[in-house]
Short mmCIF file of all heavy atoms in Angstrom, two decimals:
data_model
loop_
_atom_site.label_atom_id
_atom_site.label_comp_id
_atom_site.label_asym_id
_atom_site.label_seq_id
_atom_site.Cartn_x
_atom_site.Cartn_y
_atom_site.Cartn_z
N GLY E 55 106.08 139.50 115.30
CA GLY E 55 106.66 140.81 115.08
C GLY E 55 107.78 140.82 114.07
O GLY E 55 108.63 141.71 114.10
N GLU E 56 107.79 139.84 113.18
CA GLU E 56 108.87 139.72 112.20
C GLU E 56 108.34 139.96 110.79
O GLU E 56 107.22 139.54 110.46
CB GLU E 56 109.53 138.35 112.31
CG GLU E 56 110.21 138.14 113.65
CD GLU E 56 110.91 136.81 113.77
OE1 GLU E 56 111.13 136.14 112.74
OE2 GLU E 56 111.22 136.44 114.90
N PRO E 57 109.14 140.61 109.95
CA PRO E 57 108.70 140.91 108.59
C PRO E 57 108.79 139.69 107.66
O PRO E 57 109.54 138.75 107.92
CB PRO E 57 109.67 142.00 108.14
CG PRO E 57 110.93 141.67 108.88
CD PRO E 57 110.48 141.14 110.22
N GLY E 58 108.02 139.74 106.60
CA GLY E 58 108.09 138.73 105.55
C GLY E 58 107.39 137.44 105.91
O GLY E 58 107.13 137.16 107.08
N PRO E 59 107.09 136.67 104.88
CA PRO E 59 106.46 135.37 105.14
C PRO E 59 107.49 134.38 105.66
O PRO E 59 108.69 134.51 105.41
CB PRO E 59 105.94 134.95 103.76
CG PRO E 59 106.87 135.62 102.81
CD PRO E 59 107.26 136.93 103.45
N THR E 60 107.03 133.40 106.40
CA THR E 60 107.88 132.32 106.87
C THR E 60 107.29 131.00 106.38
O THR E 60 106.24 130.99 105.74
CB THR E 60 108.02 132.36 108.41
OG1 THR E 60 109.03 131.43 108.82
CG2 THR E 60 106.71 132.05 109.12
N ASP E 61 107.95 129.91 106.64
CA ASP E 61 107.50 128.62 106.12
C ASP E 61 106.44 127.96 106.98
O ASP E 61 105.48 127.38 106.49
CB ASP E 61 108.69 127.67 105.92
CG ASP E 61 109.60 127.55 107.13
OD1 ASP E 61 109.27 128.10 108.21
OD2 ASP E 61 110.65 126.90 106.99
N VAL E 62 106.58 128.05 108.31
CA VAL E 62 105.65 127.37 109.22
C VAL E 62 105.50 128.17 110.51
O VAL E 62 106.47 128.74 111.01
CB VAL E 62 106.11 125.92 109.53
CG1 VAL E 62 107.48 125.89 110.19
CG2 VAL E 62 105.09 125.17 110.38
N LEU E 63 104.28 128.21 111.00
CA LEU E 63 103.99 128.79 112.31
C LEU E 63 103.15 127.77 113.09
O LEU E 63 102.33 127.07 112.49
CB LEU E 63 103.21 130.09 112.19
CG LEU E 63 103.94 131.29 111.62
CD1 LEU E 63 102.97 132.44 111.36
CD2 LEU E 63 105.05 131.75 112.56
N SER E 64 103.35 127.73 114.39
CA SER E 64 102.59 126.83 115.25
C SER E 64 101.93 127.62 116.36
O SER E 64 102.55 128.50 116.96
CB SER E 64 103.52 125.78 115.88
OG SER E 64 104.09 124.98 114.89
N PHE E 65 100.68 127.28 116.62
CA PHE E 65 99.91 127.94 117.66
C PHE E 65 99.31 126.89 118.58
O PHE E 65 98.25 126.33 118.32
CB PHE E 65 98.78 128.78 117.02
CG PHE E 65 99.29 129.85 116.10
CD1 PHE E 65 99.35 129.64 114.74
CD2 PHE E 65 99.73 131.06 116.61
CE1 PHE E 65 99.83 130.62 113.88
CE2 PHE E 65 100.21 132.06 115.76
CZ PHE E 65 100.26 131.83 114.39
N PRO E 66 100.04 126.56 119.68
CA PRO E 66 99.54 125.55 120.61
C PRO E 66 98.28 126.02 121.33
O PRO E 66 98.11 127.22 121.57
CB PRO E 66 100.70 125.36 121.59
CG PRO E 66 101.62 126.49 121.39
CD PRO E 66 101.31 127.14 120.09
N MET E 67 97.42 125.08 121.65
CA MET E 67 96.17 125.42 122.33
C MET E 67 96.18 124.92 123.78
O MET E 67 96.21 125.71 124.70
CB MET E 67 94.98 124.85 121.57
CG MET E 67 94.82 125.44 120.18
SD MET E 67 94.53 127.20 120.16
CE MET E 67 92.83 127.24 120.62
N ASP E 68 96.14 123.62 123.98
CA ASP E 68 96.02 123.07 125.34
C ASP E 68 97.36 122.75 126.00
O ASP E 68 97.40 122.13 127.05
CB ASP E 68 95.16 121.79 125.32
CG ASP E 68 93.69 122.07 125.06
OD1 ASP E 68 93.28 123.25 125.12
OD2 ASP E 68 92.94 121.11 124.79
N GLU E 69 98.46 123.18 125.37
CA GLU E 69 99.80 122.94 125.89
C GLU E 69 100.03 121.46 126.21
O GLU E 69 100.52 121.10 127.28
CB GLU E 69 100.08 123.84 127.09
CG GLU E 69 100.03 125.32 126.72
CD GLU E 69 100.38 126.24 127.86
OE1 GLU E 69 100.94 125.78 128.88
OE2 GLU E 69 100.10 127.44 127.73
N LEU E 70 99.66 120.61 125.27
CA LEU E 70 99.85 119.17 125.42
C LEU E 70 101.33 118.83 125.26
O LEU E 70 102.08 119.56 124.62
CB LEU E 70 99.03 118.43 124.36
CG LEU E 70 97.53 118.74 124.32
CD1 LEU E 70 96.86 117.97 123.19
CD2 LEU E 70 96.88 118.44 125.65
N VAL E 71 101.73 117.72 125.86
CA VAL E 71 103.10 117.23 125.71
C VAL E 71 103.05 115.76 125.32
O VAL E 71 102.10 115.05 125.65
CB VAL E 71 103.95 117.42 126.99
CG1 VAL E 71 104.16 118.90 127.28
CG2 VAL E 71 103.33 116.72 128.17
N GLU E 72 104.08 115.34 124.65
CA GLU E 72 104.20 113.95 124.24
C GLU E 72 104.33 113.08 125.48
O GLU E 72 105.18 113.34 126.34
CB GLU E 72 105.44 113.81 123.35
CG GLU E 72 105.64 112.46 122.75
CD GLU E 72 106.85 112.42 121.82
OE1 GLU E 72 107.45 113.46 121.53
OE2 GLU E 72 107.18 111.31 121.39
N PRO E 73 103.48 112.05 125.62
CA PRO E 73 103.57 111.20 126.81
C PRO E 73 104.85 110.36 126.80
O PRO E 73 105.39 110.05 125.74
CB PRO E 73 102.34 110.31 126.70
CG PRO E 73 102.02 110.27 125.25
CD PRO E 73 102.45 111.60 124.69
N THR E 74 105.31 110.03 127.99
CA THR E 74 106.45 109.14 128.09
C THR E 74 105.95 107.70 127.99
O THR E 74 104.76 107.43 128.10
CB THR E 74 107.20 109.35 129.42
OG1 THR E 74 106.30 109.12 130.49
CG2 THR E 74 107.77 110.76 129.51
N VAL E 75 106.87 106.78 127.81
CA VAL E 75 106.52 105.37 127.70
C VAL E 75 105.71 104.95 128.92
O VAL E 75 106.07 105.26 130.06
CB VAL E 75 107.80 104.51 127.58
CG1 VAL E 75 107.46 103.03 127.59
CG2 VAL E 75 108.56 104.88 126.31
N GLY E 76 104.59 104.29 128.67
CA GLY E 76 103.73 103.81 129.74
C GLY E 76 102.61 104.77 130.12
O GLY E 76 101.67 104.37 130.80
N GLU E 77 102.70 106.02 129.71
CA GLU E 77 101.62 106.97 129.99
C GLU E 77 100.50 106.80 128.97
O GLU E 77 100.72 106.35 127.86
CB GLU E 77 102.13 108.42 129.92
CG GLU E 77 103.02 108.81 131.07
CD GLU E 77 103.41 110.28 131.03
OE1 GLU E 77 103.55 110.85 129.94
OE2 GLU E 77 103.58 110.84 132.12
N SER E 78 99.31 107.19 129.36
CA SER E 78 98.14 107.11 128.47
C SER E 78 98.27 108.10 127.33
O SER E 78 98.96 109.12 127.44
CB SER E 78 96.87 107.45 129.25
OG SER E 78 96.68 106.52 130.28
N ALA E 79 97.56 107.79 126.24
CA ALA E 79 97.51 108.71 125.11
C ALA E 79 96.91 110.03 125.57
O ALA E 79 96.05 110.07 126.45
CB ALA E 79 96.67 108.11 123.98
N VAL E 80 97.37 111.09 124.98
CA VAL E 80 96.98 112.44 125.36
C VAL E 80 95.79 112.89 124.51
O VAL E 80 95.76 112.69 123.31
CB VAL E 80 98.16 113.41 125.16
CG1 VAL E 80 97.76 114.84 125.45
CG2 VAL E 80 99.34 112.99 126.02
N THR E 81 94.81 113.50 125.17
CA THR E 81 93.66 114.04 124.45
C THR E 81 93.60 115.54 124.69
O THR E 81 94.18 116.06 125.63
CB THR E 81 92.36 113.35 124.89
OG1 THR E 81 91.31 113.72 123.99
CG2 THR E 81 91.99 113.69 126.31
N GLY E 82 92.90 116.23 123.80
CA GLY E 82 92.75 117.68 123.90
C GLY E 82 92.96 118.32 122.55
O GLY E 82 93.02 117.64 121.52
N VAL E 83 93.09 119.63 122.57
CA VAL E 83 93.31 120.39 121.34
C VAL E 83 94.79 120.69 121.25
O VAL E 83 95.33 121.48 122.02
CB VAL E 83 92.48 121.69 121.31
CG1 VAL E 83 92.72 122.44 120.02
CG2 VAL E 83 91.00 121.37 121.48
N LEU E 84 95.45 120.03 120.30
CA LEU E 84 96.88 120.22 120.10
C LEU E 84 97.16 121.65 119.65
O LEU E 84 98.01 122.32 120.21
CB LEU E 84 97.39 119.20 119.07
CG LEU E 84 98.88 119.01 118.95
CD1 LEU E 84 99.53 118.70 120.27
CD2 LEU E 84 99.18 117.89 117.97
N GLY E 85 96.45 122.11 118.63
CA GLY E 85 96.63 123.48 118.15
C GLY E 85 96.61 123.55 116.64
O GLY E 85 96.11 122.65 115.96
N ASP E 86 97.17 124.65 116.13
CA ASP E 86 97.16 124.94 114.70
C ASP E 86 98.58 124.99 114.16
O ASP E 86 99.46 125.60 114.77
CB ASP E 86 96.52 126.30 114.42
CG ASP E 86 95.12 126.43 114.99
OD1 ASP E 86 94.40 125.42 115.02
OD2 ASP E 86 94.75 127.54 115.41
N VAL E 87 98.77 124.39 112.98
CA VAL E 87 100.01 124.52 112.23
C VAL E 87 99.64 125.22 110.93
O VAL E 87 98.74 124.78 110.21
CB VAL E 87 100.67 123.16 111.94
CG1 VAL E 87 101.90 123.33 111.06
CG2 VAL E 87 101.05 122.45 113.23
N VAL E 88 100.34 126.32 110.64
CA VAL E 88 100.10 127.08 109.42
C VAL E 88 101.33 126.93 108.53
O VAL E 88 102.46 127.18 108.97
CB VAL E 88 99.84 128.58 109.73
CG1 VAL E 88 99.55 129.34 108.44
CG2 VAL E 88 98.70 128.74 110.74
N LEU E 89 101.10 126.48 107.31
CA LEU E 89 102.18 126.23 106.35
C LEU E 89 102.01 127.13 105.13
O LEU E 89 100.89 127.39 104.70
CB LEU E 89 102.15 124.77 105.87
CG LEU E 89 102.28 123.69 106.94
CD1 LEU E 89 101.89 122.34 106.38
CD2 LEU E 89 103.69 123.67 107.49
N CYS E 90 103.13 127.57 104.57
CA CYS E 90 103.11 128.37 103.35
C CYS E 90 103.83 127.59 102.24
O CYS E 90 105.06 127.57 102.19
CB CYS E 90 103.78 129.72 103.59
SG CYS E 90 103.62 130.84 102.18
N PRO E 91 103.05 126.91 101.37
CA PRO E 91 103.66 126.08 100.34
C PRO E 91 104.62 126.82 99.41
O PRO E 91 105.64 126.25 99.00
CB PRO E 91 102.46 125.54 99.56
CG PRO E 91 101.33 125.58 100.54
CD PRO E 91 101.59 126.80 101.38
N SER E 92 104.35 128.08 99.09
CA SER E 92 105.25 128.78 98.17
C SER E 92 106.61 129.05 98.81
O SER E 92 107.64 128.98 98.14
CB SER E 92 104.61 130.07 97.65
OG SER E 92 104.30 130.94 98.71
N VAL E 93 106.64 129.33 100.11
CA VAL E 93 107.92 129.48 100.80
C VAL E 93 108.61 128.12 100.88
O VAL E 93 109.82 128.02 100.64
CB VAL E 93 107.74 130.10 102.20
CG1 VAL E 93 109.05 130.08 102.99
CG2 VAL E 93 107.20 131.52 102.09
N ALA E 94 107.85 127.09 101.18
CA ALA E 94 108.43 125.74 101.23
C ALA E 94 109.04 125.36 99.88
O ALA E 94 110.13 124.77 99.83
CB ALA E 94 107.35 124.73 101.62
N ALA E 95 108.37 125.70 98.79
CA ALA E 95 108.88 125.36 97.46
C ALA E 95 110.21 126.05 97.19
O ALA E 95 111.13 125.44 96.61
CB ALA E 95 107.85 125.75 96.39
N ARG E 96 110.36 127.29 97.62
CA ARG E 96 111.61 128.02 97.40
C ARG E 96 112.76 127.44 98.20
O ARG E 96 113.91 127.47 97.77
CB ARG E 96 111.44 129.50 97.75
CG ARG E 96 110.81 130.31 96.68
CD ARG E 96 111.06 131.80 96.87
NE ARG E 96 110.65 132.31 98.16
CZ ARG E 96 109.41 132.70 98.47
NH1 ARG E 96 108.45 132.62 97.57
NH2 ARG E 96 109.14 133.17 99.67
N GLN E 97 112.49 126.95 99.39
CA GLN E 97 113.58 126.49 100.25
C GLN E 97 113.82 124.99 100.17
O GLN E 97 114.76 124.49 100.79
CB GLN E 97 113.36 126.93 101.68
CG GLN E 97 112.23 126.23 102.38
CD GLN E 97 111.93 126.88 103.72
OE1 GLN E 97 112.23 128.04 103.97
NE2 GLN E 97 111.35 126.10 104.62
N ALA E 98 113.01 124.27 99.42
CA ALA E 98 113.18 122.81 99.32
C ALA E 98 114.54 122.48 98.74
O ALA E 98 114.82 122.77 97.58
CB ALA E 98 112.06 122.22 98.47
N ARG E 99 115.39 121.90 99.54
CA ARG E 99 116.76 121.58 99.11
C ARG E 99 116.78 120.59 97.97
O ARG E 99 117.57 120.69 97.05
CB ARG E 99 117.56 121.05 100.29
CG ARG E 99 117.85 122.11 101.30
CD ARG E 99 118.83 121.63 102.35
NE ARG E 99 119.08 122.72 103.28
CZ ARG E 99 118.93 122.61 104.58
NH1 ARG E 99 118.56 121.48 105.11
NH2 ARG E 99 119.17 123.64 105.36
N SER E 100 115.91 119.62 98.02
CA SER E 100 115.90 118.58 96.99
C SER E 100 115.06 118.99 95.79
O SER E 100 115.00 118.27 94.81
CB SER E 100 115.32 117.29 97.58
OG SER E 100 113.95 117.49 97.90
#
Side-chain angles (χ1 to χ4, degrees):
E56 296 182 15
T60 190
D61 51 7
V62 60
L63 291 171
S64 297
F65 300 97
M67 296 298 283
D68 289 348
E69 298 183 15
L70 305 178
V71 294
E72 185 177 352
T74 59
V75 175
E77 288 185 328
S78 298
V80 176
T81 191
V83 180
L84 194 53
D86 304 326
V87 175
V88 182
L89 302 166
C90 187
S92 59
V93 173
R96 278 198 305 275
Q97 70 189 24
R99 290 189 179 126
S100 66

